[in-house]
Amino acid sequence: DAGVIQSPRHEVTEMGQEVTLRCKPISGHDYLFWYRQTMMRGLELLIYFNNNVPIDDSGMPEDRFSAKMPNASFSTLKIQPSEPRDSAVYFCASSWNSGITDTQYFGPGTRLTVL
Amino acid sequence: GQNIDQPTEMTATEGAIVQINCTYQTSGFNGLFWYQQHAGEAPTFLSYNVLDGLEEKGRFSSFLSRSKGYSYLLLKELQMKDSASYLCAVRVYNNNDMRFGAGTRLTVKP
């Protein structure tokens, strides 16, 4: 398996623009997570899905952020409009509910820079 | 809420042993994970504890005391490639919700 795939790997945009980050989880995994990592705040859980349904979005910072999972193999995280403080590395992770070791496997991340 | 604490930085010598501590205060504890993250890369899974005691996996071991809200990651026979950040993460309840500590940056020196 190719692992969790994220695109783009790097994104540079200007304040006010819309940004869309994409994720393809590992085939067969039924949980998908979006995280944000910054030096100041560390790794933060933004939202996660189970079987394509959003379960907890309490980590989404504000209404400018939205996430969708239209099917089991694809998810998007959208920021509209983007702001410089959104600059961070955004990770997508997936896991399967095996009961004990629900290890999350992380994608390589998208480094977002908002100018 | 959740509170997970670990030291910010540690330094150790190649070939030595280092212990990275993690304390947590969470509701609905359902497992503690350790992840390794090299600079510029994604976190990768190291270990998992849900019951009290020590889990050993090669050079790495992880310990958990649920009553004390305490875990540690033990790295033996340190190698230069072990220089990385080590993230302590707690899963809450039974819904795969994970909360991460800020991470401990370990530097291994010759």
Side-chain angles (χ1 to χ4, degrees):
Chain A
D1 199 311
V4 176
I5 299 173
Q6 291 186 245
S7 65
R9 294 292 309 275
H10 301 274
E11 177 80 25
V12 180
T13 190
E14 292 186 346
M15 182 175 62
Q17 296 298 306
E18 178 180 295
V19 175
T20 300
L21 311 180
R22 297 173 176 79
C23 175
K24 175 177 168 44
I26 293 173
S27 178
H29 284 190
D30 52 3
Y31 282 85
L32 183 140
F33 306 81
W34 281 102
Y35 290 92
R36 176 174 67 177
Q37 188 173 38
T38 62
M39 291 292 292
M40 292 295 294
R41 301 174 66 90
L43 196 62
E44 303 173 278
L45 176 65
L46 299 177
I47 184 173
Y48 74 94
F49 296 81
N50 177 217
N51 291 322
N52 313 337
V53 176
I55 303 300
D56 184 353
D57 65 354
S58 60
M60 297 286 262
E62 45 196 281
D63 292 343
R64 298 184 296 106
F65 286 69
S66 62
K68 294 181 179 179
M69 192 165 185
N71 57 62
S73 60
F74 183 65
S75 176
T76 60
L77 177 68
K78 184 177 293 185
I79 309 172
Q80 167 64 19
S82 58
E83 297 182 3
R85 59 193 170 120
D86 302 330
S87 297
V89 179
Y90 291 82
F91 288 105
C92 174
S94 70
S95 71
W96 67 83
N97 191 8
S98 61
I100 298 296
T101 54
D102 300 342
T103 303
Q104 296 185 16
Y105 295 86
F106 283 73
T110 295
R111 182 174 295 277
L112 174 65
T113 302
V114 183
L115 303 175
Chain B
Q2 276 66 337
N3 197 31
I4 301 170
D5 292 311
Q6 50 182 132
T8 304
E9 293 191 27
M10 297 183 72
T11 302
T13 304
E14 190 175 17
I17 299 173
V18 70
Q19 176 174 312
I20 303 174
N21 297 324
C22 172
T23 58
Y24 63 90
Q25 294 175 315
T26 65
S27 53
F29 175 85
N30 193 30
L32 187 140
F33 293 74
W34 284 95
Y35 282 79
Q36 180 189 59
Q37 186 177 24
H38 285 98
E41 299 182 11
T44 57
F45 170 77
L46 285 180
S47 70
Y48 169 80
N49 296 72
V50 68
L51 301 176
D52 290 351
L54 189 68
E55 293 284 340
E56 298 187 77
K57 187 185 293 186
R59 296 189 298 113
F60 293 4
S61 304
S62 57
F63 171 83
L64 175 67
S65 169
R66 289 171 296 172
S67 62
K68 296 181 179 179
Y70 168 69
S71 173
Y72 67 72
L73 179 70
L74 193 71
L75 292 76
K76 304 175 185 175
E77 302 170 16
L78 280 173
Q79 301 175 11
M80 299 298 290
K81 66 178 182 178
D82 297 330
S83 292
S85 287
Y86 291 86
L87 306 175
C88 172
V90 174
R91 187 174 64 196
V92 296
Y93 299 108
N94 198 26
N95 58 9
N96 254 323
D97 190 354
M98 295 264 285
R99 305 291 168 169
F100 284 79
T104 299
R105 181 178 299 178
L106 173 67
T107 301
V108 180
K109 296 186 174 180

